[in-house]
Amino acid sequence: MTMFHREAGVFKTTYAADMALFPLPVARWTVAALAVLFVAIVPLALGEYYLSILNLIFIAVVGALGLNILVGYTGQISIGHGAFMSVGAYTAANLAVKLGLPFWITLPAGGLMAALIGVLVGIPSLRIKGLYLAIATLAGQLIIEWTINHVPAISGGAQASIQVPRPHLLGLTLDSQSRLYFFLLFFAVLAIVATLNLVRSRIGRAFVAVRDQDIAAEIIGINIFRYKLLSFAISSFYAGVCGVLYTYYFGIANYEQFQLIVSIDYLAMIIIGGLGSVLGSIFGAIFVTLLPIVLRLLLESVGSLFFDESDLANVISGTRLAVFGALIIFFLIVEPEGLNRLWRNIRSYFRVWPFSY
C-alpha cells in the first residue's frame, strides 16, 4: 500500500525542476485535472446562471490576490481597495467610450492608472502603520469616491455611470456568460500564476521581510519605502484590472459598484481565506461570493415564515453584513490563518495516509 500524497522518492536533477511551481507529481496531476474540468467540462455542463456565478468568482479572485499581496504579504492595511477598482473601471470606460479603444489596451491602462493612484495613497505608509494607515487609505477611498462623483469629465455626468460596449475577441462579441467565462478565466489564471511567481521572487521575499520586521529588513539592506510603494502599486494594479473586468462584465461603470462596503468585502475574503496565501485568496473569493447567494436562497425559502415580503429584502441585506462580521471575528479568534489552514490540515493528513505518523 502506498501513501496517497507521496513526497519521498521524488528527486530533482535540474534547477528548473527544483524551482517548478508544482514540484510533486500529485500536484501537477491535480492542476491538469482542474484545467480539463474548467476548460472542457464546466462550460458544457453548466447553464448561464451558474456560469455567471463562476464569472463573478473569477473577477473576485483577481481583486483578492491583489489585496493579499499588500495586506497578507507586506503587512500594509488598506481599506481603499474598492476605490482603486473604481479608478481602473472609469479609466477603461472613458478610453473605450471616448476613444473606442479595445479591451487589450483599456485593461492594462486601467490597471496602470490604479497603480499610480495607489502609489500616491501609499506614500504615507513610510511614516505611519496599523490603524493610522487604515484611516489614511479610508480617506483615499472617500476622496476618490468624491472626485468621481463631482468631476463629470471622469464619471460621465448624471448618476456617474458610463455604458461600456462589450469586449470583442476574434470577431466575437463577449455578450453572454458562456463567452465571458473563458475571457474571465484567462485573467484569473494569469493573476494566480503571476502572484505565485511574485511571492517567491526577490520582490516577494522583500515584502515578507517588511511584514515580519521592517527594522530588521532595513538593516539587511531592503529599501522599506520603495518596497512598500511597490506593494501598493502592484496591489492597486490588480484592483484596477479587477475593476475593468467588473465593468466589462456588467457593461457599465458605476461608482456604487466600488463603495466602502466592497473594500470590506475584499478584506473579508483574505481574512476568511487566509492572509499571506494565494490559495487562501481563492478560497476567500469563492466563499464570500457564494455566501450571499446561499443566504438569499435560504432566507427566501425560510424567511417568508417570519417576515413580510416587503421586509425580506432588508432582512437579507442586513443578515449578509451580520454574517460577514461574525465570520471575520470567528476566523480572527479561532483560525487566524483562515480556510487555507484548514486545507493544509487536510493535506497534511493525506501526506502520511494511511499511516498516522
Side-chain angles (χ1 to χ4, degrees):
M1 187 179 292
T2 58
M3 288 186 290
F4 181 77
H5 189 183
R6 186 184 180 96
E7 293 183 46
V10 179
F11 301 106
K12 306 177 186 70
T13 56
T14 63
Y15 181 72
D18 193 40
M19 292 300 294
L21 276 177
F22 306 104
L24 295 178
V26 66
R28 290 196 291 272
W29 298 338
T30 304
V31 171
L34 288 174
V36 172
L37 176 67
F38 280 97
V39 173
I41 299 175
V42 166
L44 295 177
L46 298 183
E48 290 279 297
Y49 173 71
Y50 293 103
L51 287 179
S52 70
I53 295 174
L54 281 175
N55 288 340
L56 288 174
I57 291 174
F58 293 152
I59 300 173
V61 165
V62 177
L65 285 169
L67 189 59
N68 220 338
I69 290 172
L70 180 68
V71 180
Y73 284 99
T74 318
Q76 307 301 299
I77 187 72
S78 172
I79 315 180
H81 208 57
F84 301 137
M85 290 183 197
S86 67
V87 172
Y90 277 96
T91 301
N94 280 296
L95 290 176
V97 173
K98 294 179 180 176
L99 301 179
L101 296 179
F103 79 87
W104 51 270
I105 294 179
T106 60
L107 198 140
L112 289 173
M113 180 59 76
L116 177 63
I117 301 300
V119 168
L120 295 177
V121 174
I123 288 176
S125 65
L126 179 65
R127 302 296 299 271
I128 58 177
K129 60 175 69 173
L131 181 61
Y132 298 99
L133 182 59
I135 297 300
T137 56
L138 176 61
Q141 166 89 32
L142 299 177
I143 291 170
I144 291 171
E145 273 189 30
W146 185 91
T147 305
I148 288 174
N149 272 321
H150 292 82
V151 180
I154 298 175
S155 58
Q159 299 183 350
S161 298
I162 301 176
Q163 296 279 349
V164 180
R166 298 290 186 178
H168 297 270
L169 182 64
L170 301 175
L172 292 174
T173 302
L174 306 181
D175 56 357
S176 67
Q177 297 297 333
S178 54
R179 291 180 176 178
L180 280 168
Y181 174 82
F182 291 104
F183 177 73
L184 297 172
L185 175 63
F186 170 77
F187 287 105
V189 171
L190 185 65
I192 292 169
V193 174
T195 308
L196 284 171
N197 282 291
L198 173 71
V199 297
R200 64 196 192 125
S201 68
R202 177 188 177 93
I203 295 173
R205 293 189 178 96
F207 287 166
V208 173
V210 171
R211 177 196 66 188
D212 290 346
Q213 181 51 262
D214 53 354
I215 296 176
E218 191 166 20
I219 290 173
I220 63 175
I222 293 174
N223 188 322
I224 301 293
F225 187 49
R226 188 174 73 183
Y227 280 104
K228 282 184 177 179
L229 286 189
L230 185 59
S231 177
F232 266 99
I234 294 173
S235 172
S236 303
F237 181 85
Y238 275 67
V241 170
C242 179
V244 178
L245 294 178
Y246 271 126
T247 299
Y248 279 124
Y249 177 81
F250 290 114
I252 188 171
N254 187 290
Y255 80 98
E256 291 183 354
Q257 299 166 343
F258 310 107
Q259 290 182 316
L260 181 60
I261 187 65
V262 175
S263 299
I264 303 299
D265 282 351
Y266 276 84
L267 274 175
M269 284 182 197
I270 61 171
I271 291 173
I272 293 172
L275 290 169
S277 162
V278 172
L279 199 56
S281 306
I282 299 170
F283 286 152
I286 295 171
F287 189 88
V288 173
T289 304
L290 291 181
L291 183 63
I293 298 171
V294 174
L295 277 177
R296 179 174 55 79
L297 293 175
L298 183 66
L299 288 174
E300 281 178 352
S301 58
V302 180
S304 57
L305 301 175
F306 305 97
F307 303 101
D308 296 333
E309 191 172 342
S310 57
D311 296 331
L312 197 56
N314 294 329
V315 171
I316 292 174
S317 175
T319 304
R320 172 177 170 271
L321 292 175
V323 171
F324 271 178
L327 284 172
I328 290 175
I329 293 171
F330 173 80
F331 277 99
L332 285 175
I333 294 174
V334 178
E335 188 51 83
E337 296 182 46
L339 296 172
N340 182 55
R341 177 65 182 181
L342 301 178
W343 166 248
R344 278 164 46 196
N345 291 340
I346 296 171
R347 194 176 60 180
S348 298
Y349 173 79
F350 282 106
R351 181 167 289 166
V352 294
W353 186 84
F355 307 107
S356 59
Y357 51 87

